[in-house]
Amino acid sequence: MKRINADNMVKFYALMLLYERNHHGYELIKSIGEKMEKNVSPGQIYPFLKKLKAGGMIAGGKEGPRERTVYRLTPAGRKFVKETLIRLSEMIRIAVRKDISVCHHCGCEVYSGGYREKGKVFCCKSCASACGR
Ligand SMILES: [Zn+2]
């Protein structure tokens, strides 16, 4: 099977939207356009959907009074999106690592907020007071 890459934001959003629920092509184009605040052309979506379909990642069936093709992720497709998400979250984790503080008391990672006392970072007030005792 040919490897499928979600190598741009349009593709990535398409996968996210399909992970959320089934969509037809036009709906995807519209939703992605709204999310990205720019016009997305059918040429950015349909070849990708075709590729996903050929790779067994999505299935399409005609639905509704207008007989539009509604796409849904197959189990393999869901697995692919999940793995893509995990890879992406690892990348984000690496990128934000320098911004993560470690609680001076319990050692847990503090992503945002936290509690500062006497120049030390704690995850919460009780860790700070436990450390001060
Ligand atoms: Zn703590």
Side-chain angles (χ1 to χ4, degrees):
M1 195 179 73
K2 253 201 317 198
R3 197 174 151 72
I4 293 162
N5 274 312
D7 53 4
N8 67 41
M9 288 304 280
V10 171
K11 289 177 184 176
F12 186 73
Y13 274 132
L15 290 171
M16 290 302 96
L17 289 166
L18 287 167
Y19 196 73
E20 209 172 68
R21 64 177 174 87
N22 302 344
H23 288 273
H24 53 78
Y26 175 68
E27 218 174 32
L28 284 175
I29 292 164
K30 232 183 114 199
S31 302
I32 296 164
E34 280 165 13
K35 277 194 200 297
M36 296 185 67
E37 294 176 352
K38 66 169 200 168
N39 284 325
V40 175
S41 76
Q44 288 174 278
I45 293 294
Y46 288 106
F48 183 55
L49 289 175
K50 204 173 158 188
K51 213 171 158 184
L52 287 172
K53 204 171 175 182
M57 300 296 178
I58 59 171
K62 297 223 183 289
E63 277 178 30
R66 288 170 68 187
E67 293 264 294
R68 283 188 292 205
T69 303
V70 173
Y71 298 96
R72 60 176 173 79
L73 287 170
T74 62
R78 295 197 76 82
K79 190 168 170 265
F80 167 70
V81 176
K82 216 169 170 180
E83 283 165 2
T84 304
L85 277 177
I86 290 167
R87 262 208 314 277
L88 193 79
S89 71
E90 279 166 3
M91 277 164 60
I92 292 168
R93 205 181 136 78
I94 290 164
V96 301
R97 182 169 290 160
K98 63 173 177 8
D99 300 324
I100 300 171
S101 328
V102 174
C103 174
H104 192 73
H105 180 67
C106 72
C108 75
E109 292 176 335
V110 182
Y111 287 80
S112 70
Y115 185 77
R116 273 160 221 279
E117 202 176 279
K118 291 170 194 149
K120 287 170 184 165
V121 179
F122 299 95
C123 64
C124 60
K125 215 167 178 169
S126 69
C127 265
S129 62
C131 205
R133 274 196 298 253

